[in-house]
Amino acid sequence: MSIWERLLKIPRALIFLLIGIAVFFPLLFKFTLPLNILKPVQDVYDFIEALPEGTPVILSFDYSPDVLPECYPISLVLAKHLAKKKLRIYIMTLYPAGTGFALDVYNKIIKEYGLKEREDIVFLGYFPSVAATILGIGEDIKNVFKSDYFGYPFDKIPAFNGVKNYSDIKLAISISGAAIPESWMIYANGRYGANVAAGVTAVMAAQLYPYYRSKQFIGLIGGMRGAAEYEKLLKAYDLATKGMNSISLANFVMVFLVILGNIAFFMQRRTKK
Amino acid sequence: MKKQVPLFIVFFIGLLGFLQYFITGPLSKSVYTLLLEWFQGVQGMAIIMAVISLTRRHFTNVRKGKNVFYSLVTLISLYGMMILGIFFGIGKGSIFDKIYEFVMVPLNATTFSLLSFYMASAAYRAFRARSVESALLLLSAFVLMIGLTSFGDVLSESLPYFAQWVLDVPNLAAQRGITLGIALGILATSLKIMLGIERSWLE
């Protein structure tokens, strides 16, 4: 068996081991790789920076545990920015599985930034029916948000004072690994002209770029890289910066393996000829 | 009658939903709000139907001795979580919440994480530049995989911007074509359903 044939028959376990090392190595040893800020992320940051203090903003956790490693860092860094800017944050989810993560971020942000519950930040919980909820907010939020997640009635929540619909809520951000940001874009932006941004997995980001270019999304945070760029902008280095090193190394190993596989494939073909 | 009534309802509601988008005023708004409320009701009913259908399917499996173990796991998980949620609450610290946090979340994340290992193995064996098209695909994959990670920034400052350009221009052109095709398809299918040409949903 020639060396090329042997290379083509590398056992699967060895490939798994290489990827495993590439993923774990950056988590064990601290090092920093450079990272440029790309425009879609910069646009979200700039938009939030330009909002005046006390502006109502929706942060929707529309994801489930399968995309947690990518979506959670995006949620956390965005929530930090909103809290830092002292905006009025409405946290909600259109995905039943998103409630736990949303509550986790809600508690973290309150603790870290000393926010006042129901004044600076409200946790609204899960809402079934994506389209009906997004459209309902466009009509009148009190028809949708009857109370917060803990059962506190709408009328007694100061964070809702003077807020009726998207004309008062200046930004809605959907974080998801599925097509829910598109629903926000279609219903909230398309019908009511609301400003919508999305934080999505890297796989979903490619699908949403056309809408970002047509300005239906004010900006996009794509996957772990997007979150890491945002952490850099905010100077709040956390989960995404660490995760980005793992992804970078794993991608590098994968590209190396594919190149190696192709070299072996062509060399073996040439030898046979 | 069994087919005509649902067809009429579909046509009428479809037309109403279409027209209210172009008509402004309080009447249009109240019709629209009513439709939204109905929509939520229908969705709630759909969930009930789904639970009944899933239960019947797996119950039949258990009775016939087909994939008994998996069907039992599905039924116990479904009703176990339901009972725990209804009788013991779903708040922070409840059994429901603990099972979700310590079983569901890690299982789900693990399944998704395993993908990278299988993708690497599959890519090594199957991703070959056999033709010009596959070579182009390979090249664009390299640009994006390296360009959108920190190694892209290490290799060249302009590589991430080039990767972004690939997403912004060629990807955008292809995505728009696909989106337009899908939209036209949805429009044609909706019209076919509203006009009763497509009736498979009735069977």
Side-chain angles (χ1 to χ4, degrees):
Chain A
M1 198 189 276
S2 72
I3 184 168
W4 305 119
E5 274 176 74
R6 263 186 224 167
L7 264 176
L8 281 175
K9 286 177 184 161
I10 287 180
R12 186 191 269 187
L14 187 65
I15 297 173
F16 287 179
L17 185 71
L18 284 173
I19 293 290
I21 292 169
V23 170
F24 283 112
F25 183 76
L27 298 176
L28 299 174
F29 304 97
K30 204 177 165 188
F31 61 93
T32 314
L33 290 167
L35 196 69
N36 286 317
I37 312 293
L38 301 176
K39 200 173 176 299
V41 176
Q42 183 75 52
D43 284 350
V44 180
Y45 181 84
D46 290 344
F47 191 91
I48 294 174
E49 274 295 299
L51 291 174
E53 195 177 303
T55 306
V57 173
I58 289 177
L59 190 59
S60 191
F61 289 62
D62 308 326
Y63 61 89
S64 52
D66 50 354
V67 291
L68 185 76
E70 278 187 285
C71 288
Y72 187 79
I74 301 177
S75 324
L76 195 61
V77 73
L78 276 170
K80 279 181 182 176
H81 193 195
L82 299 178
K84 203 176 160 189
K85 280 292 298 172
K86 293 185 177 154
L87 303 176
R88 245 188 278 180
I89 315 166
Y90 302 154
I91 291 186
M92 58 181 281
T93 168
L94 296 172
Y95 226 88
T99 318
F101 316 126
L103 192 59
D104 187 55
V105 169
Y106 173 79
N107 288 327
K108 262 188 189 157
I109 293 302
I110 287 176
K111 209 172 159 189
E112 200 174 325
Y113 290 87
L115 302 182
K116 282 185 193 142
E117 279 188 85
R118 298 179 193 96
E119 271 183 47
D120 307 318
I121 188 165
V122 192
F123 183 52
L124 298 155
Y126 164 64
F127 292 87
S129 179
V130 175
T133 305
I134 300 170
L135 288 168
I137 300 168
E139 292 298 316
D140 196 338
I141 57 164
K142 75 167 181 265
N143 294 334
V144 183
F145 307 147
K146 310 266 186 215
S147 68
D148 72 355
Y149 178 72
F150 310 100
Y152 220 75
F154 179 89
D155 297 328
K156 290 185 179 171
I157 299 174
F160 289 135
N161 285 349
V163 181
K164 193 172 185 235
N165 50 34
Y166 292 120
S167 51
D168 307 303
I169 301 165
K170 298 296 177 200
L171 177 65
I173 312 169
S174 172
I175 304 145
S176 179
I180 296 182
E182 283 181 69
S183 299
W184 279 99
M185 184 260 306
I186 293 166
Y187 301 117
N189 175 270
R191 196 174 170 104
Y192 298 100
N195 297 309
V196 177
V200 290
T201 52
V203 175
M204 280 302 295
Q207 209 173 307
L208 298 185
Y209 272 103
Y211 307 117
Y212 161 67
R213 294 289 286 184
S214 57
K215 297 189 171 40
Q216 284 162 286
F217 284 116
I218 57 118
L220 266 183
I221 302 173
M224 195 73 88
R225 178 177 176 119
E229 285 176 31
Y230 213 99
E231 282 182 2
K232 191 177 175 184
L233 280 168
L234 206 62
K235 293 182 181 66
Y237 301 99
D238 201 351
L239 295 167
T241 311
K242 277 184 211 158
M244 194 56 209
N245 289 347
S246 281
I247 288 183
S248 299
L249 206 58
N251 268 19
F252 187 77
V253 170
M254 230 150 131
V255 170
F256 171 75
L257 283 171
V258 174
I259 292 173
L260 193 71
N262 272 278
I263 292 171
F265 173 72
F266 285 110
M267 289 310 284
Q268 191 207 27
R269 212 158 67 166
R270 223 169 77 171
T271 319
K272 271 184 185 171
K273 271 181 189 172
Chain B
M1 227 21 200
K2 229 172 131 184
K3 283 191 176 175
Q4 274 136 345
V5 173
L7 275 175
F8 175 74
I9 295 171
V10 164
F11 178 76
F12 182 68
I13 301 289
L15 197 68
L16 216 62
F18 177 74
L19 289 177
Q20 66 78 31
Y21 201 88
F22 299 98
I23 301 168
T24 49
L27 184 67
S28 166
K29 214 169 186 178
S30 58
V31 167
Y32 173 60
T33 313
L34 185 73
L35 281 178
L36 282 184
E37 281 166 9
W38 283 3
F39 185 44
Q40 273 180 315
V42 171
Q43 284 221 326
M45 286 302 291
I47 291 173
I48 296 171
M49 293 294 287
V51 171
I52 293 171
S53 166
L54 192 79
T55 307
R56 277 175 63 175
R57 171 74 201 238
H58 288 282
F59 208 74
T60 314
N61 276 0
V62 174
R63 226 178 41 212
K64 287 183 178 171
K66 202 174 112 190
N67 291 328
V68 179
F69 179 73
Y70 298 112
S71 290
L72 274 176
V73 168
T74 308
L75 286 172
I76 292 169
S77 309
L78 176 69
Y79 286 97
M81 286 299 272
M82 216 188 274
I83 290 164
L84 285 175
I86 292 168
F87 294 107
F88 301 97
I90 57 168
K92 197 83 188 155
S94 61
I95 307 174
F96 180 92
D97 179 61
K98 279 191 175 133
I99 292 178
Y100 180 77
E101 198 176 333
F102 299 116
V103 180
M104 177 77 181
V105 173
L107 275 180
N108 225 332
T110 307
T111 314
F112 199 69
S113 307
L114 284 175
L115 268 180
S116 66
F117 292 89
Y118 285 101
M119 266 168 63
S121 169
Y124 180 71
R125 279 163 224 289
F127 216 173
R128 301 272 184 265
R130 287 173 213 266
S131 61
V132 181
E133 289 88 351
S134 55
L136 273 173
L137 188 69
L138 201 67
L139 195 71
S140 54
F142 284 169
V143 168
L144 286 178
M145 281 173 78
I146 295 292
L148 289 179
T149 60
S150 304
F151 276 105
D153 301 80
V154 174
L155 291 173
S156 154
E157 260 208 13
S158 43
L159 192 56
Y161 297 102
F162 180 62
Q164 188 66 46
W165 177 85
V166 172
L167 281 172
D168 279 350
V169 183
N171 165 64
L172 182 135
Q175 291 280 356
R176 278 212 178 129
I178 296 167
T179 311
L180 280 171
I182 294 171
L184 287 173
I186 292 173
L187 200 70
T189 314
S190 305
L191 272 175
K192 275 167 82 179
I193 292 171
M194 274 175 71
L195 298 172
I197 301 165
E198 168 65 55
R199 295 179 182 208
S200 56
W201 60 277
L202 278 169
E203 282 146 24

